[in-house]
Amino acid sequence: MQALVESLKSWVNAGLSFIYPEICQTCGNERATPAEGFVCATCRAQLRRIVPPFCNRCGRPFEGAITTTFDCADCRDDEPHFSWARAAVIATETMLEIIARYKYQRALWFEPVMAELRMEGARPQLAGQHWDCIVPVPLHRTRQREREFNQAQRLATRLSRATDIPTNNRAIRRVVATPTQTQLNREERRANMRRAFAPYGGAGLDGQRIIVVDDVLTTGATTSACAGALRAAGAAEVCVWTVARGI
Ligand SMILES: [Zn+2]
Ligand SMILES: [Zn+2]
């Protein structure tokens, strides 16, 4: 089965390079192969990795020389339901464009870049810790039907393969089809998300330690609402991994 999948993948890649020239899809200048997700080395180098100092809770990076661990003012004012959230890179314009094209235009060739970024930080941080399952942020079924795939689910599958932690797509569901949140402020997003997720009956999450996965974290309202629903269903601890996050 694995061999078949691998050979299919190489056929798909060969097909892609036949259809698309091996040109970076971000800058349009340099060479980039399908295996590189059509993002060239120069553009990759411009992605801004998140490095300390950052909020111990939500992972938001800060400028300056803070050496002690700290929680940011947002997390102190309004404690999120997750124990901690981490992201690989800052949601710069380039990164947001990659994510938007991946998500809305099905630019699936970007997936290797996103998965690689995701894994880069997750693998060492998760090593030596016990986590029971990976839960992708669910889409509402009407949205999933429109888009035909859930980007969080695809990233969760990749993280699962790399870490051997199983995914659980039947832990929570999105019960309210929330409108896009891009125009909303922090407060509005939180109100919007409050009852957006609910656990599946008999999800059996008692005492579980769960990793929530999404593509981008903006204010953390969505992932915190997911974590809240998981904890209401008995999860002992929830952490969050995203590819990118806003600052
Ligand atoms: Zn480029
Ligand atoms: Zn914070």
Side-chain angles (χ1 to χ4, degrees), residues 156-192:
T157 305
R158 289 216 176 213
L159 183 62
S160 168
R161 264 190 238 137
T163 57
D164 279 332
I165 302 168
T167 52
N168 182 350
N169 297 323
R170 305 283 298 169
I172 45 170
R173 64 208 162 92
R174 204 164 191 137
V175 286
V176 182
T178 42
T180 25
Q181 305 230 87
T182 39
Q183 303 302 321
L184 305 180
N185 68 27
R186 191 182 167 77
E187 203 47 53
E188 290 164 334
R189 280 176 193 237
R190 203 148 35 96
N192 212 3

PDB file of all heavy atoms in Angstrom, residues 156-192:
ATOM      1  N   ALA A 156      -2.712  17.822   9.913  1.00  0.00           N
ATOM      2  CA  ALA A 156      -2.739  16.901  11.053  1.00  0.00           C
ATOM      3  C   ALA A 156      -2.270  15.513  10.625  1.00  0.00           C
ATOM      4  O   ALA A 156      -1.497  14.858  11.333  1.00  0.00           O
ATOM      5  CB  ALA A 156      -4.145  16.835  11.640  1.00  0.00           C
ATOM      6  N   THR A 157      -2.705  15.079   9.444  1.00  0.00           N
ATOM      7  CA  THR A 157      -2.303  13.758   8.940  1.00  0.00           C
ATOM      8  C   THR A 157      -0.789  13.701   8.764  1.00  0.00           C
ATOM      9  O   THR A 157      -0.141  12.722   9.123  1.00  0.00           O
ATOM     10  CB  THR A 157      -3.010  13.476   7.593  1.00  0.00           C
ATOM     11  OG1 THR A 157      -4.408  13.614   7.806  1.00  0.00           O
ATOM     12  CG2 THR A 157      -2.708  12.094   7.076  1.00  0.00           C
ATOM     13  N   ARG A 158      -0.238  14.776   8.242  1.00  0.00           N
ATOM     14  CA  ARG A 158       1.220  14.801   8.045  1.00  0.00           C
ATOM     15  C   ARG A 158       1.972  14.793   9.370  1.00  0.00           C
ATOM     16  O   ARG A 158       2.978  14.112   9.519  1.00  0.00           O
ATOM     17  CB  ARG A 158       1.610  16.044   7.245  1.00  0.00           C
ATOM     18  CG  ARG A 158       1.178  15.960   5.813  1.00  0.00           C
ATOM     19  CD  ARG A 158       2.231  16.619   4.967  1.00  0.00           C
ATOM     20  NE  ARG A 158       1.921  16.501   3.564  1.00  0.00           N
ATOM     21  CZ  ARG A 158       2.873  16.393   2.640  1.00  0.00           C
ATOM     22  NH1 ARG A 158       4.136  16.383   2.989  1.00  0.00           N
ATOM     23  NH2 ARG A 158       2.554  16.306   1.382  1.00  0.00           N
ATOM     24  N   LEU A 159       1.473  15.570  10.334  1.00  0.00           N
ATOM     25  CA  LEU A 159       2.125  15.604  11.653  1.00  0.00           C
ATOM     26  C   LEU A 159       2.018  14.226  12.306  1.00  0.00           C
ATOM     27  O   LEU A 159       2.959  13.754  12.938  1.00  0.00           O
ATOM     28  CB  LEU A 159       1.479  16.680  12.537  1.00  0.00           C
ATOM     29  CG  LEU A 159       2.112  16.876  13.915  1.00  0.00           C
ATOM     30  CD1 LEU A 159       3.565  17.333  13.820  1.00  0.00           C
ATOM     31  CD2 LEU A 159       1.315  17.881  14.757  1.00  0.00           C
ATOM     32  N   SER A 160       0.888  13.578  12.121  1.00  0.00           N
ATOM     33  CA  SER A 160       0.675  12.251  12.677  1.00  0.00           C
ATOM     34  C   SER A 160       1.685  11.255  12.110  1.00  0.00           C
ATOM     35  O   SER A 160       2.280  10.469  12.846  1.00  0.00           O
ATOM     36  CB  SER A 160      -0.756  11.806  12.369  1.00  0.00           C
ATOM     37  OG  SER A 160      -0.920  10.446  12.648  1.00  0.00           O
ATOM     38  N   ARG A 161       1.897  11.312  10.794  1.00  0.00           N
ATOM     39  CA  ARG A 161       2.853  10.406  10.162  1.00  0.00           C
ATOM     40  C   ARG A 161       4.255  10.628  10.709  1.00  0.00           C
ATOM     41  O   ARG A 161       5.009   9.701  10.916  1.00  0.00           O
ATOM     42  CB  ARG A 161       2.856  10.619   8.652  1.00  0.00           C
ATOM     43  CG  ARG A 161       1.956   9.630   7.937  1.00  0.00           C
ATOM     44  CD  ARG A 161       2.197   9.723   6.447  1.00  0.00           C
ATOM     45  NE  ARG A 161       0.961  10.053   5.772  1.00  0.00           N
ATOM     46  CZ  ARG A 161       0.849  10.936   4.791  1.00  0.00           C
ATOM     47  NH1 ARG A 161       1.907  11.614   4.369  1.00  0.00           N
ATOM     48  NH2 ARG A 161      -0.318  11.168   4.243  1.00  0.00           N
ATOM     49  N   ALA A 162       4.592  11.888  10.970  1.00  0.00           N
ATOM     50  CA  ALA A 162       5.942  12.206  11.425  1.00  0.00           C
ATOM     51  C   ALA A 162       6.155  11.888  12.897  1.00  0.00           C
ATOM     52  O   ALA A 162       7.286  11.696  13.338  1.00  0.00           O
ATOM     53  CB  ALA A 162       6.241  13.673  11.162  1.00  0.00           C
ATOM     54  N   THR A 163       5.092  11.861  13.675  1.00  0.00           N
ATOM     55  CA  THR A 163       5.257  11.698  15.123  1.00  0.00           C
ATOM     56  C   THR A 163       4.697  10.379  15.655  1.00  0.00           C
ATOM     57  O   THR A 163       4.893  10.053  16.822  1.00  0.00           O
ATOM     58  CB  THR A 163       4.518  12.820  15.882  1.00  0.00           C
ATOM     59  OG1 THR A 163       3.137  12.802  15.499  1.00  0.00           O
ATOM     60  CG2 THR A 163       5.114  14.195  15.597  1.00  0.00           C
ATOM     61  N   ASP A 164       3.967   9.646  14.798  1.00  0.00           N
ATOM     62  CA  ASP A 164       3.295   8.412  15.223  1.00  0.00           C
ATOM     63  C   ASP A 164       2.204   8.635  16.258  1.00  0.00           C
ATOM     64  O   ASP A 164       1.816   7.714  16.964  1.00  0.00           O
ATOM     65  CB  ASP A 164       4.302   7.375  15.762  1.00  0.00           C
ATOM     66  CG  ASP A 164       4.981   6.632  14.630  1.00  0.00           C
ATOM     67  OD1 ASP A 164       4.363   6.509  13.558  1.00  0.00           O
ATOM     68  OD2 ASP A 164       6.132   6.192  14.830  1.00  0.00           O
ATOM     69  N   ILE A 165       1.729   9.858  16.372  1.00  0.00           N
ATOM     70  CA  ILE A 165       0.590  10.131  17.251  1.00  0.00           C
ATOM     71  C   ILE A 165      -0.658  10.073  16.357  1.00  0.00           C
ATOM     72  O   ILE A 165      -0.688  10.734  15.322  1.00  0.00           O
ATOM     73  CB  ILE A 165       0.710  11.524  17.918  1.00  0.00           C
ATOM     74  CG1 ILE A 165       2.019  11.626  18.710  1.00  0.00           C
ATOM     75  CG2 ILE A 165      -0.497  11.804  18.829  1.00  0.00           C
ATOM     76  CD1 ILE A 165       2.373  13.036  19.153  1.00  0.00           C
ATOM     77  N   PRO A 166      -1.657   9.265  16.717  1.00  0.00           N
ATOM     78  CA  PRO A 166      -2.816   9.131  15.818  1.00  0.00           C
ATOM     79  C   PRO A 166      -3.651  10.404  15.724  1.00  0.00           C
ATOM     80  O   PRO A 166      -3.680  11.205  16.663  1.00  0.00           O
ATOM     81  CB  PRO A 166      -3.636   8.004  16.455  1.00  0.00           C
ATOM     82  CG  PRO A 166      -3.239   7.998  17.886  1.00  0.00           C
ATOM     83  CD  PRO A 166      -1.801   8.460  17.933  1.00  0.00           C
ATOM     84  N   THR A 167      -4.333  10.594  14.584  1.00  0.00           N
ATOM     85  CA  THR A 167      -5.273  11.715  14.487  1.00  0.00           C
ATOM     86  C   THR A 167      -6.646  11.233  14.960  1.00  0.00           C
ATOM     87  O   THR A 167      -6.949  10.044  14.900  1.00  0.00           O
ATOM     88  CB  THR A 167      -5.436  12.232  13.040  1.00  0.00           C
ATOM     89  OG1 THR A 167      -5.747  11.132  12.205  1.00  0.00           O
ATOM     90  CG2 THR A 167      -4.216  12.929  12.541  1.00  0.00           C
ATOM     91  N   ASN A 168      -7.440  12.167  15.424  1.00  0.00           N
ATOM     92  CA  ASN A 168      -8.816  11.857  15.807  1.00  0.00           C
ATOM     93  C   ASN A 168      -9.721  12.913  15.183  1.00  0.00           C
ATOM     94  O   ASN A 168      -9.753  14.053  15.630  1.00  0.00           O
ATOM     95  CB  ASN A 168      -8.946  11.856  17.339  1.00  0.00           C
ATOM     96  CG  ASN A 168     -10.352  11.482  17.775  1.00  0.00           C
ATOM     97  OD1 ASN A 168     -11.266  11.397  16.952  1.00  0.00           O
ATOM     98  ND2 ASN A 168     -10.524  11.252  19.072  1.00  0.00           N
ATOM     99  N   ASN A 169     -10.405  12.515  14.104  1.00  0.00           N
ATOM    100  CA  ASN A 169     -11.298  13.457  13.413  1.00  0.00           C
ATOM    101  C   ASN A 169     -12.713  13.396  13.961  1.00  0.00           C
ATOM    102  O   ASN A 169     -13.602  14.064  13.456  1.00  0.00           O
ATOM    103  CB  ASN A 169     -11.335  13.155  11.911  1.00  0.00           C
ATOM    104  CG  ASN A 169      -9.980  13.337  11.262  1.00  0.00           C
ATOM    105  OD1 ASN A 169      -9.229  14.242  11.630  1.00  0.00           O
ATOM    106  ND2 ASN A 169      -9.638  12.470  10.341  1.00  0.00           N
ATOM    107  N   ARG A 170     -12.919  12.560  14.975  1.00  0.00           N
ATOM    108  CA  ARG A 170     -14.260  12.391  15.533  1.00  0.00           C
ATOM    109  C   ARG A 170     -14.299  12.829  16.992  1.00  0.00           C
ATOM    110  O   ARG A 170     -15.032  12.254  17.801  1.00  0.00           O
ATOM    111  CB  ARG A 170     -14.698  10.921  15.433  1.00  0.00           C
ATOM    112  CG  ARG A 170     -14.642  10.340  14.035  1.00  0.00           C
ATOM    113  CD  ARG A 170     -15.785  10.766  13.149  1.00  0.00           C
ATOM    114  NE  ARG A 170     -17.085  10.323  13.653  1.00  0.00           N
ATOM    115  CZ  ARG A 170     -18.256  10.738  13.173  1.00  0.00           C
ATOM    116  NH1 ARG A 170     -18.270  11.644  12.204  1.00  0.00           N
ATOM    117  NH2 ARG A 170     -19.381  10.291  13.661  1.00  0.00           N
ATOM    118  N   ALA A 171     -13.479  13.810  17.334  1.00  0.00           N
ATOM    119  CA  ALA A 171     -13.477  14.293  18.718  1.00  0.00           C
ATOM    120  C   ALA A 171     -14.457  15.450  18.872  1.00  0.00           C
ATOM    121  O   ALA A 171     -15.316  15.442  19.740  1.00  0.00           O
ATOM    122  CB  ALA A 171     -12.076  14.717  19.125  1.00  0.00           C
ATOM    123  N   ILE A 172     -14.320  16.444  17.999  1.00  0.00           N
ATOM    124  CA  ILE A 172     -15.211  17.598  18.049  1.00  0.00           C
ATOM    125  C   ILE A 172     -15.713  17.929  16.648  1.00  0.00           C
ATOM    126  O   ILE A 172     -15.084  17.573  15.660  1.00  0.00           O
ATOM    127  CB  ILE A 172     -14.521  18.862  18.625  1.00  0.00           C
ATOM    128  CG1 ILE A 172     -13.128  19.050  18.023  1.00  0.00           C
ATOM    129  CG2 ILE A 172     -14.511  18.860  20.133  1.00  0.00           C
ATOM    130  CD1 ILE A 172     -12.493  20.384  18.341  1.00  0.00           C
ATOM    131  N   ARG A 173     -16.830  18.626  16.606  1.00  0.00           N
ATOM    132  CA  ARG A 173     -17.332  19.079  15.310  1.00  0.00           C
ATOM    133  C   ARG A 173     -17.712  20.541  15.432  1.00  0.00           C
ATOM    134  O   ARG A 173     -17.912  21.059  16.540  1.00  0.00           O
ATOM    135  CB  ARG A 173     -18.517  18.240  14.855  1.00  0.00           C
ATOM    136  CG  ARG A 173     -19.713  18.343  15.735  1.00  0.00           C
ATOM    137  CD  ARG A 173     -20.536  17.054  15.667  1.00  0.00           C
ATOM    138  NE  ARG A 173     -21.427  17.003  16.803  1.00  0.00           N
ATOM    139  CZ  ARG A 173     -22.678  17.465  16.797  1.00  0.00           C
ATOM    140  NH1 ARG A 173     -23.180  17.972  15.697  1.00  0.00           N
ATOM    141  NH2 ARG A 173     -23.420  17.423  17.874  1.00  0.00           N
ATOM    142  N   ARG A 174     -17.789  21.187  14.279  1.00  0.00           N
ATOM    143  CA  ARG A 174     -18.152  22.591  14.250  1.00  0.00           C
ATOM    144  C   ARG A 174     -19.659  22.653  14.102  1.00  0.00           C
ATOM    145  O   ARG A 174     -20.197  22.197  13.097  1.00  0.00           O
ATOM    146  CB  ARG A 174     -17.477  23.257  13.067  1.00  0.00           C
ATOM    147  CG  ARG A 174     -17.292  24.728  13.240  1.00  0.00           C
ATOM    148  CD  ARG A 174     -16.294  25.210  12.212  1.00  0.00           C
ATOM    149  NE  ARG A 174     -15.874  26.553  12.481  1.00  0.00           N
ATOM    150  CZ  ARG A 174     -14.625  26.973  12.394  1.00  0.00           C
ATOM    151  NH1 ARG A 174     -13.674  26.142  12.071  1.00  0.00           N
ATOM    152  NH2 ARG A 174     -14.324  28.227  12.630  1.00  0.00           N
ATOM    153  N   VAL A 175     -20.327  23.153  15.112  1.00  0.00           N
ATOM    154  CA  VAL A 175     -21.784  23.131  15.077  1.00  0.00           C
ATOM    155  C   VAL A 175     -22.366  24.423  14.520  1.00  0.00           C
ATOM    156  O   VAL A 175     -23.518  24.468  14.131  1.00  0.00           O
ATOM    157  CB  VAL A 175     -22.384  22.826  16.469  1.00  0.00           C
ATOM    158  CG1 VAL A 175     -22.201  21.349  16.804  1.00  0.00           C
ATOM    159  CG2 VAL A 175     -21.764  23.694  17.548  1.00  0.00           C
ATOM    160  N   VAL A 176     -21.571  25.493  14.505  1.00  0.00           N
ATOM    161  CA  VAL A 176     -22.053  26.758  13.956  1.00  0.00           C
ATOM    162  C   VAL A 176     -21.151  27.122  12.789  1.00  0.00           C
ATOM    163  O   VAL A 176     -19.930  27.103  12.923  1.00  0.00           O
ATOM    164  CB  VAL A 176     -22.001  27.888  15.017  1.00  0.00           C
ATOM    165  CG1 VAL A 176     -22.559  29.175  14.453  1.00  0.00           C
ATOM    166  CG2 VAL A 176     -22.736  27.486  16.276  1.00  0.00           C
ATOM    167  N   ALA A 177     -21.763  27.424  11.638  1.00  0.00           N
ATOM    168  CA  ALA A 177     -20.959  27.844  10.490  1.00  0.00           C
ATOM    169  C   ALA A 177     -20.611  29.312  10.672  1.00  0.00           C
ATOM    170  O   ALA A 177     -21.331  30.190  10.228  1.00  0.00           O
ATOM    171  CB  ALA A 177     -21.726  27.634   9.200  1.00  0.00           C
ATOM    172  N   THR A 178     -19.500  29.572  11.359  1.00  0.00           N
ATOM    173  CA  THR A 178     -19.121  30.953  11.641  1.00  0.00           C
ATOM    174  C   THR A 178     -18.661  31.652  10.370  1.00  0.00           C
ATOM    175  O   THR A 178     -17.966  31.058   9.556  1.00  0.00           O
ATOM    176  CB  THR A 178     -17.981  30.990  12.674  1.00  0.00           C
ATOM    177  OG1 THR A 178     -17.060  29.961  12.336  1.00  0.00           O
ATOM    178  CG2 THR A 178     -18.496  30.779  14.069  1.00  0.00           C
ATOM    179  N   PRO A 179     -19.069  32.913  10.196  1.00  0.00           N
ATOM    180  CA  PRO A 179     -18.606  33.646   9.008  1.00  0.00           C
ATOM    181  C   PRO A 179     -17.095  33.867   9.091  1.00  0.00           C
ATOM    182  O   PRO A 179     -16.502  33.687  10.161  1.00  0.00           O
ATOM    183  CB  PRO A 179     -19.352  34.971   9.102  1.00  0.00           C
ATOM    184  CG  PRO A 179     -19.767  35.103  10.526  1.00  0.00           C
ATOM    185  CD  PRO A 179     -19.872  33.723  11.091  1.00  0.00           C
ATOM    186  N   THR A 180     -16.471  34.259   8.001  1.00  0.00           N
ATOM    187  CA  THR A 180     -15.027  34.509   8.069  1.00  0.00           C
ATOM    188  C   THR A 180     -14.757  35.595   9.092  1.00  0.00           C
ATOM    189  O   THR A 180     -15.516  36.551   9.222  1.00  0.00           O
ATOM    190  CB  THR A 180     -14.416  34.961   6.720  1.00  0.00           C
ATOM    191  OG1 THR A 180     -15.444  35.566   5.955  1.00  0.00           O
ATOM    192  CG2 THR A 180     -13.783  33.819   5.989  1.00  0.00           C
ATOM    193  N   GLN A 181     -13.672  35.421   9.791  1.00  0.00           N
ATOM    194  CA  GLN A 181     -13.406  36.262  10.954  1.00  0.00           C
ATOM    195  C   GLN A 181     -12.452  37.410  10.658  1.00  0.00           C
ATOM    196  O   GLN A 181     -12.137  38.180  11.559  1.00  0.00           O
ATOM    197  CB  GLN A 181     -12.757  35.400  12.042  1.00  0.00           C
ATOM    198  CG  GLN A 181     -13.558  34.195  12.399  1.00  0.00           C
ATOM    199  CD  GLN A 181     -13.726  34.106  13.893  1.00  0.00           C
ATOM    200  OE1 GLN A 181     -14.644  34.676  14.458  1.00  0.00           O
ATOM    201  NE2 GLN A 181     -12.807  33.429  14.534  1.00  0.00           N
ATOM    202  N   THR A 182     -12.005  37.491   9.404  1.00  0.00           N
ATOM    203  CA  THR A 182     -10.919  38.427   9.109  1.00  0.00           C
ATOM    204  C   THR A 182     -11.226  39.873   9.474  1.00  0.00           C
ATOM    205  O   THR A 182     -10.324  40.623   9.803  1.00  0.00           O
ATOM    206  CB  THR A 182     -10.491  38.338   7.624  1.00  0.00           C
ATOM    207  OG1 THR A 182     -11.673  38.166   6.852  1.00  0.00           O
ATOM    208  CG2 THR A 182      -9.575  37.167   7.375  1.00  0.00           C
ATOM    209  N   GLN A 183     -12.512  40.261   9.417  1.00  0.00           N
ATOM    210  CA  GLN A 183     -12.843  41.663   9.711  1.00  0.00           C
ATOM    211  C   GLN A 183     -13.134  41.908  11.196  1.00  0.00           C
ATOM    212  O   GLN A 183     -13.436  43.026  11.590  1.00  0.00           O
ATOM    213  CB  GLN A 183     -14.085  42.100   8.907  1.00  0.00           C
ATOM    214  CG  GLN A 183     -13.965  41.936   7.408  1.00  0.00           C
ATOM    215  CD  GLN A 183     -12.786  42.691   6.832  1.00  0.00           C
ATOM    216  OE1 GLN A 183     -12.487  43.806   7.258  1.00  0.00           O
ATOM    217  NE2 GLN A 183     -12.079  42.083   5.886  1.00  0.00           N
ATOM    218  N   LEU A 184     -13.084  40.870  11.991  1.00  0.00           N
ATOM    219  CA  LEU A 184     -13.504  41.019  13.380  1.00  0.00           C
ATOM    220  C   LEU A 184     -12.329  41.279  14.319  1.00  0.00           C
ATOM    221  O   LEU A 184     -11.216  40.837  14.068  1.00  0.00           O
ATOM    222  CB  LEU A 184     -14.236  39.758  13.850  1.00  0.00           C
ATOM    223  CG  LEU A 184     -15.435  39.298  13.006  1.00  0.00           C
ATOM    224  CD1 LEU A 184     -16.034  38.038  13.610  1.00  0.00           C
ATOM    225  CD2 LEU A 184     -16.476  40.387  12.903  1.00  0.00           C
ATOM    226  N   ASN A 185     -12.620  42.011  15.407  1.00  0.00           N
ATOM    227  CA  ASN A 185     -11.565  42.201  16.400  1.00  0.00           C
ATOM    228  C   ASN A 185     -11.558  41.033  17.378  1.00  0.00           C
ATOM    229  O   ASN A 185     -12.364  40.109  17.289  1.00  0.00           O
ATOM    230  CB  ASN A 185     -11.717  43.554  17.110  1.00  0.00           C
ATOM    231  CG  ASN A 185     -12.961  43.600  17.986  1.00  0.00           C
ATOM    232  OD1 ASN A 185     -13.436  42.580  18.477  1.00  0.00           O
ATOM    233  ND2 ASN A 185     -13.490  44.802  18.183  1.00  0.00           N
ATOM    234  N   ARG A 186     -10.636  41.109  18.312  1.00  0.00           N
ATOM    235  CA  ARG A 186     -10.409  40.021  19.249  1.00  0.00           C
ATOM    236  C   ARG A 186     -11.678  39.628  20.026  1.00  0.00           C
ATOM    237  O   ARG A 186     -12.032  38.454  20.129  1.00  0.00           O
ATOM    238  CB  ARG A 186      -9.313  40.510  20.212  1.00  0.00           C
ATOM    239  CG  ARG A 186      -8.762  39.449  21.084  1.00  0.00           C
ATOM    240  CD  ARG A 186      -7.733  40.021  22.034  1.00  0.00           C
ATOM    241  NE  ARG A 186      -7.478  39.015  23.028  1.00  0.00           N
ATOM    242  CZ  ARG A 186      -6.723  37.958  22.804  1.00  0.00           C
ATOM    243  NH1 ARG A 186      -6.112  37.796  21.657  1.00  0.00           N
ATOM    244  NH2 ARG A 186      -6.581  37.048  23.753  1.00  0.00           N
ATOM    245  N   GLU A 187     -12.349  40.663  20.526  1.00  0.00           N
ATOM    246  CA  GLU A 187     -13.550  40.451  21.339  1.00  0.00           C
ATOM    247  C   GLU A 187     -14.661  39.786  20.517  1.00  0.00           C
ATOM    248  O   GLU A 187     -15.290  38.825  20.945  1.00  0.00           O
ATOM    249  CB  GLU A 187     -14.004  41.833  21.861  1.00  0.00           C
ATOM    250  CG  GLU A 187     -14.852  41.792  23.096  1.00  0.00           C
ATOM    251  CD  GLU A 187     -14.270  40.879  24.173  1.00  0.00           C
ATOM    252  OE1 GLU A 187     -13.083  41.030  24.552  1.00  0.00           O
ATOM    253  OE2 GLU A 187     -15.017  39.993  24.607  1.00  0.00           O
ATOM    254  N   GLU A 188     -14.853  40.302  19.301  1.00  0.00           N
ATOM    255  CA  GLU A 188     -15.905  39.781  18.421  1.00  0.00           C
ATOM    256  C   GLU A 188     -15.610  38.333  18.007  1.00  0.00           C
ATOM    257  O   GLU A 188     -16.506  37.513  17.931  1.00  0.00           O
ATOM    258  CB  GLU A 188     -16.028  40.663  17.174  1.00  0.00           C
ATOM    259  CG  GLU A 188     -16.615  42.038  17.484  1.00  0.00           C
ATOM    260  CD  GLU A 188     -16.391  43.049  16.344  1.00  0.00           C
ATOM    261  OE1 GLU A 188     -15.420  42.895  15.564  1.00  0.00           O
ATOM    262  OE2 GLU A 188     -17.185  43.987  16.265  1.00  0.00           O
ATOM    263  N   ARG A 189     -14.346  38.066  17.768  1.00  0.00           N
ATOM    264  CA  ARG A 189     -13.980  36.707  17.375  1.00  0.00           C
ATOM    265  C   ARG A 189     -14.296  35.722  18.481  1.00  0.00           C
ATOM    266  O   ARG A 189     -14.791  34.634  18.248  1.00  0.00           O
ATOM    267  CB  ARG A 189     -12.464  36.613  17.108  1.00  0.00           C
ATOM    268  CG  ARG A 189     -12.075  37.127  15.774  1.00  0.00           C
ATOM    269  CD  ARG A 189     -10.567  37.086  15.620  1.00  0.00           C
ATOM    270  NE  ARG A 189     -10.173  37.860  14.470  1.00  0.00           N
ATOM    271  CZ  ARG A 189      -9.471  37.371  13.444  1.00  0.00           C
ATOM    272  NH1 ARG A 189      -9.059  36.136  13.456  1.00  0.00           N
ATOM    273  NH2 ARG A 189      -9.166  38.134  12.430  1.00  0.00           N
ATOM    274  N   ARG A 190     -14.006  36.168  19.694  1.00  0.00           N
ATOM    275  CA  ARG A 190     -14.216  35.272  20.834  1.00  0.00           C
ATOM    276  C   ARG A 190     -15.709  34.982  21.009  1.00  0.00           C
ATOM    277  O   ARG A 190     -16.120  33.839  21.192  1.00  0.00           O
ATOM    278  CB  ARG A 190     -13.627  35.879  22.102  1.00  0.00           C
ATOM    279  CG  ARG A 190     -13.310  34.843  23.135  1.00  0.00           C
ATOM    280  CD  ARG A 190     -12.114  35.231  23.958  1.00  0.00           C
ATOM    281  NE  ARG A 190     -12.067  36.659  24.155  1.00  0.00           N
ATOM    282  CZ  ARG A 190     -12.537  37.282  25.226  1.00  0.00           C
ATOM    283  NH1 ARG A 190     -13.103  36.611  26.188  1.00  0.00           N
ATOM    284  NH2 ARG A 190     -12.437  38.584  25.339  1.00  0.00           N
ATOM    285  N   ALA A 191     -16.527  36.040  20.913  1.00  0.00           N
ATOM    286  CA  ALA A 191     -17.978  35.876  21.057  1.00  0.00           C
ATOM    287  C   ALA A 191     -18.511  34.962  19.947  1.00  0.00           C
ATOM    288  O   ALA A 191     -19.345  34.097  20.179  1.00  0.00           O
ATOM    289  CB  ALA A 191     -18.648  37.240  21.000  1.00  0.00           C
ATOM    290  N   ASN A 192     -17.961  35.166  18.756  1.00  0.00           N
ATOM    291  CA  ASN A 192     -18.334  34.396  17.587  1.00  0.00           C
ATOM    292  C   ASN A 192     -18.064  32.895  17.755  1.00  0.00           C
ATOM    293  O   ASN A 192     -18.792  32.048  17.258  1.00  0.00           O
ATOM    294  CB  ASN A 192     -17.457  34.919  16.432  1.00  0.00           C
ATOM    295  CG  ASN A 192     -18.157  34.855  15.117  1.00  0.00           C
ATOM    296  OD1 ASN A 192     -19.307  34.486  15.065  1.00  0.00           O
ATOM    297  ND2 ASN A 192     -17.457  35.214  14.057  1.00  0.00           N
TER     298      ASN A 192
END
